[in-house]
Amino acid sequence: KNEVEQSPQNLTAQEGEFITINCSYSVGISALHWLQQHPGGGIVSLFMLSSGKKKHGRLIATINIQEKHSSLHITASHPRDSAVYICAVTASGSRLTFGEGTQLTVNP
Amino acid sequence: DTAVSQTPKYLVTQMGNDKSIKCEQNLGHDTMYWYKQDSKKFLKIMFSYNNKELIINETVPNRFSPKSPDKAHLNLHINSLELGDSAVYFCASSQDRQAYGYTFGSGTRLTVV
């Protein structure tokens, strides 16, 4: 069993819909990261969280340390949001342990 | 200016060859990493250096040897390439060992034929 589990694996939405991607982890962590991998392959760091909630534009990330759970929300989704979203954690040190990713497709 | 740059972007080579992938960061970060993304798109740590010192060395065949001449560069040399080495290799850097400011390179797609 992977230390970081994401759901769903695949998600298809219509433009404008509110989207939620979930991440659960089984180890003690120092931080949780949300990453976005574009169809071209590049990886961008969206958020690094150790508690509470962060917001950037239409993206919101929350974390519940007690429940070992994080969510990434996208409001008013757009086709350009189509990408793979990856949850990753840092437990000891700065190495990232990754979830398997959620493939998001937003249709116009 | 690209923050973390990897070269080459694509690499096609025959089994048994030796190849290198170069990585440079201009962010002033102290820590650099190599990650491997397999055919199922799963990412896994390979190596990490902090100020030229090796701090993470996962269970990777010793055909893979990282080299960090200075804290801005982390190169990956692979000897005797095998078919199973085909993957996308990502270089990354972070401000420090606390993982602030994680920044990834654009990846190197290695295909071994």
Side-chain angles (χ1 to χ4, degrees):
Chain A
K1 193 175 187 306
N2 199 13
E3 292 176 336
V4 181
E5 298 279 343
Q6 283 185 238
S7 63
Q9 282 191 317
N10 293 283
L11 181 55
T12 301
Q14 286 300 120
E15 185 172 355
E17 285 184 359
F18 181 82
I19 286 161
T20 296
I21 299 170
N22 295 300
C23 175
S24 297
Y25 52 92
S26 57
V27 294
I29 66 169
S30 54
L32 183 140
H33 304 249
W34 282 103
L35 309 170
Q36 180 191 53
Q37 186 167 23
H38 296 287
I43 299 174
V44 174
S45 177
L46 299 173
F47 296 104
M48 177 179 167
L49 292 165
S50 53
S51 64
K53 177 178 171 178
K54 286 192 176 179
K55 184 175 190 291
H56 186 256
R58 296 179 294 105
L59 300 177
I60 303 166
T62 63
I63 188 168
N64 185 317
I65 297 291
Q66 287 74 30
E67 293 185 4
K68 293 193 166 102
H69 181 269
S70 175
S71 293
L72 176 68
H73 305 287
I74 305 175
T75 61
S77 60
H78 190 275
R80 65 174 175 264
D81 296 326
S82 298
V84 176
Y85 291 84
I86 304 169
C87 174
V89 301
T90 44
S92 58
S94 56
R95 77 172 73 189
L96 290 175
T97 300
F98 298 86
E100 294 188 358
T102 295
Q103 173 69 61
L104 171 66
T105 303
V106 181
N107 293 318
Chain B
D1 270 348
T2 305
V4 179
S5 60
Q6 288 179 235
T7 54
K9 193 168 172 62
Y10 300 97
L11 185 53
V12 180
T13 188
Q14 289 189 323
M15 275 175 49
N17 284 349
D18 303 339
K19 289 293 177 187
S20 291
I21 307 171
K22 295 189 175 184
C23 180
E24 176 182 2
Q25 54 95 3
N26 63 4
L27 298 166
H29 286 172
D30 286 336
T31 309
M32 295 185 72
Y33 313 83
W34 278 109
Y35 289 95
K36 180 180 179 181
Q37 187 173 42
D38 62 24
S39 56
K40 294 183 179 178
K41 305 284 188 182
F42 189 65
L43 281 153
K44 199 166 180 186
I45 184 80
M46 297 175 71
F47 301 104
S48 176
Y49 272 73
N50 180 262
N51 270 318
K52 301 194 297 175
E53 178 191 352
L54 181 66
I55 56 172
I56 296 172
N57 185 352
E58 284 297 288
T59 310
V60 176
N62 57 15
R63 298 180 294 102
F64 290 78
S65 53
K67 293 272 191 311
S68 182
D70 55 60
K71 76 171 195 177
H73 295 84
L74 179 61
N75 304 322
L76 183 65
H77 189 75
I78 316 169
N79 287 328
S80 303
L81 278 155
E82 300 177 357
L83 293 176
D85 298 331
S86 296
V88 182
Y89 294 84
F90 284 95
C91 177
S93 70
S94 67
Q95 204 168 301
D96 50 31
R97 293 198 193 199
Q98 306 309 312
Y100 291 113
Y102 239 101
T103 306
F104 286 82
S106 57
T108 296
R109 181 174 295 276
L110 171 65
T111 304
V112 183
V113 297

